[in-house]
Amino acid sequence: EVQLVESGGGLVQPGRSLRLSCAASGFTFDDFAMHWVRQPPGTGLEWVAGISWNSETIRYADSVRGRFTISRDNDKNSLYLQMTSLRPDDTAFYFCAKDRAFTGTTGIDYWGQGNLVTVSS
Amino acid sequence: NFMLTQPHSVSESPGETVTISCTRSSGRIASNYVQWYQQRPGTSPTTLIYEDNQRHSGVPDRFSGSVDSSSNSASLTISGLQTEDEADYYCQCYDGDNQRWVFGGGTKLTVL
């Protein structure tokens, strides 16, 4: 059974940093690309970033490029999102998601349960 | 950059059939595969359809996807509606020109 478990969320002040983690199990982690998708409370889904199986191809949404960094550790079956210069409009549930293939262009097949990040003073 | 536009909400009665559209604002809908996701209240999304019309494992055949080039849109059709189908539905596709994923705004399905 595929499991994606996010951690690291919480309340943070504007301008500060936070690192999200996602522990993956139930599949061969280094065979697949991974993504972060977020959802501000009460609104729709927004893709944040994606990383290929070997970390060679990384993509970001314009809204986070230059502030957020996606990375992975295949030895630890883990995905990360380092968020800096956080703004109130970054407040959202952040979902870790598994791609169907190794490139990151085929679509998501499994989602984590989500982790809330609240940016407020 | 293109957008994917969905109706804000749809409603239908149990046992009936409903279709949710997802219209691409520019570029051909057939250029990139479309995926569909379901999100029940208070839960994380789950995958329904990938590559326009392929059902994810475990998804009932009441759910089907299609693409119509004439309207430049994709559609999710749910037949034999059940109360458990009440949820938000999102379409998604990949924008290869800008190397980003695009989600539609979501459609709230109410099963009356």
Side-chain angles (χ1 to χ4, degrees):
Chain A
E1 178 192 6
V2 172
Q3 289 199 338
L4 301 168
V5 180
E6 302 95 338
S7 60
L11 175 63
V12 62
Q13 293 180 328
R16 303 299 290 266
S17 299
L18 201 64
R19 187 198 200 203
L20 300 181
S21 299
C22 171
S25 61
F27 64 101
T28 305
F29 184 70
D30 54 10
D31 276 352
F32 296 94
M34 298 292 293
H35 302 270
W36 287 101
V37 176
R38 69 184 180 183
Q39 184 174 37
T43 68
L45 300 172
E46 179 190 15
W47 173 79
V48 173
I51 185 168
S52 64
W53 68 283
N54 59 0
S55 304
E56 286 193 358
T57 301
I58 290 176
R59 306 173 176 93
Y60 294 101
D62 289 344
S63 57
V64 306
R65 185 176 292 112
R67 300 187 300 123
F68 290 10
T69 302
I70 187 172
S71 63
R72 63 191 295 162
D73 185 334
N74 287 345
D75 291 334
K76 295 182 178 180
N77 288 351
S78 293
L79 177 72
Y80 306 101
L81 186 68
Q82 178 69 46
M83 304 182 291
T84 64
S85 302
L86 281 162
R87 310 185 302 220
D89 62 358
D90 293 317
T91 295
F93 289 94
Y94 284 75
F95 298 99
C96 168
K98 172 188 169 293
D99 198 277
R100 300 190 59 82
F102 61 92
T103 58
T105 62
T106 54
I108 291 165
D109 55 2
Y110 292 97
W111 301 71
Q113 85 285 356
N115 205 221
L116 179 61
V117 172
T118 303
V119 184
S120 174
S121 53
Chain B
N1 290 358
F2 69 85
M3 295 171 45
L4 298 175
T5 300
Q6 301 180 233
H8 181 70
S9 63
V10 295
S11 61
E12 191 50 88
S13 302
E16 298 298 318
T17 297
V18 69
T19 297
I20 297 171
S21 63
C22 170
T23 302
R24 179 166 170 162
S25 62
S26 62
R28 296 184 307 117
I29 190 70
S31 296
N32 305 95
Y33 286 126
V34 175
Q35 283 63 237
W36 289 92
Y37 306 101
Q38 177 191 62
Q39 186 178 31
R40 294 190 174 107
T43 69
S44 58
T46 59
T47 300
L48 292 174
I49 300 289
Y50 66 98
E51 293 182 356
D52 295 342
N53 55 20
Q54 302 299 302
R55 276 185 296 278
H56 182 61
S57 61
V59 174
D61 60 7
R62 301 188 297 107
F63 294 86
S64 63
S66 62
V67 168
D68 179 6
S69 295
S70 65
S71 60
N72 213 39
S73 64
S75 294
L76 174 70
T77 299
I78 311 171
S79 60
L81 275 170
Q82 301 177 2
T83 55
E84 67 193 45
D85 297 332
E86 199 160 273
D88 293 325
Y89 293 85
Y90 295 90
C91 60
Q92 180 210 39
C93 77
Y94 180 63
D95 176 0
D97 291 340
N98 296 287
Q99 297 212 27
R100 66 184 183 120
W101 280 100
V102 182
F103 279 97
T107 299
K108 181 177 180 59
L109 170 63
T110 301
V111 182
L112 302 164

